[in-house]
Amino acid sequence: MNFAMVEKNYIRQRIYPDFDWVVYPSPSQINPLQKPLHQCTVALVTTAGAHLQDDRPFNLTNRLGDHTFRVIPHDTPFSQLALSHIGYDTKKIRRDINCVFPLERLRELAQEGMIGALAPRHFSFMGYIPITAPLLEETAPAVAAQLQEDAVDLVLLIPA
């Protein structure tokens, strides 16, 4: 069974009839690190729908998804995080949120000296975004600008 086709047909039949995958003619350019990993500032970007408990949740009722993002400071305790996502059971992930937002593991790597430092902010999206234009034209550039402001050398993209 081709899961991608099942998902595509499900979305087209039940949610958004004009849905189609975004296809790029060639892969993204490879951007090698400019310095050793143990000197790099590292940030996380996840599609897990993670957000601070006192922040607004992602919109789970819009059939066209939610292209907005949430900022998660590097020192946020996991007890202050919430998840809002329609694509998976967030209750099960709460047992170990590192599965979709491995900030605790990143903190450990920084303490061990494997990475230089944690970025001051990390970013979360809700992964269901069938109309990608707002993401590509507005949201992603805004996050990229903030990552540059934070002098981030490496971004780990965590799909959920």
Side-chain angles (χ1 to χ4, degrees):
M1 174 179 282
N2 181 334
F3 178 75
M5 287 306 296
V6 170
E7 182 177 25
K8 181 178 180 178
N9 291 334
Y10 175 83
I11 292 171
R12 277 186 173 172
Q13 292 169 8
R14 298 182 185 244
I15 301 168
Y16 180 55
D18 295 330
F19 175 77
D20 207 357
W21 301 114
V22 175
V23 178
Y24 295 95
S26 61
S28 298
Q29 178 181 339
I30 295 175
N31 295 301
L33 288 175
Q34 300 299 308
K35 55 185 164 182
L37 185 58
H38 69 274
Q39 295 176 2
C40 290
T41 298
V42 181
L44 295 174
V45 174
T46 184
T47 60
H51 55 88
L52 301 174
Q53 286 180 348
D54 59 355
D55 201 349
R56 72 191 191 286
F58 288 93
N59 184 342
L60 304 180
T61 60
N62 185 346
R63 68 182 185 88
L64 301 180
D66 184 344
H67 69 279
T68 63
F69 66 92
R70 306 294 179 272
V71 176
I72 301 173
H74 76 288
D75 56 354
T76 300
F78 271 28
S79 62
Q80 293 180 11
L81 289 177
L83 295 165
S84 55
H85 200 294
I86 58 173
Y88 67 94
D89 184 351
T90 59
K91 290 181 183 113
K92 290 182 179 180
I93 294 297
R94 288 290 309 158
R95 289 186 223 153
D96 185 5
I97 198 168
N98 285 289
C99 295
V100 294
F101 189 64
L103 186 57
E104 288 180 328
R105 302 295 79 85
L106 203 58
R107 289 175 182 150
E108 292 168 0
L109 292 173
Q111 280 185 318
E112 295 169 9
M114 297 290 292
I115 62 171
L118 292 173
R121 338 174 244 200
H122 304 278
F123 300 88
S124 179
F125 293 86
M126 199 262 292
Y128 173 71
I129 307 172
I131 298 176
T132 58
L135 173 72
L136 296 172
E137 296 167 9
E138 302 164 25
T139 317
V143 169
Q146 291 181 52
L147 291 165
Q148 287 181 322
E149 284 174 22
D150 294 342
V152 170
D153 302 299
L154 174 65
V155 177
L156 300 176
L157 303 175
I158 314 297

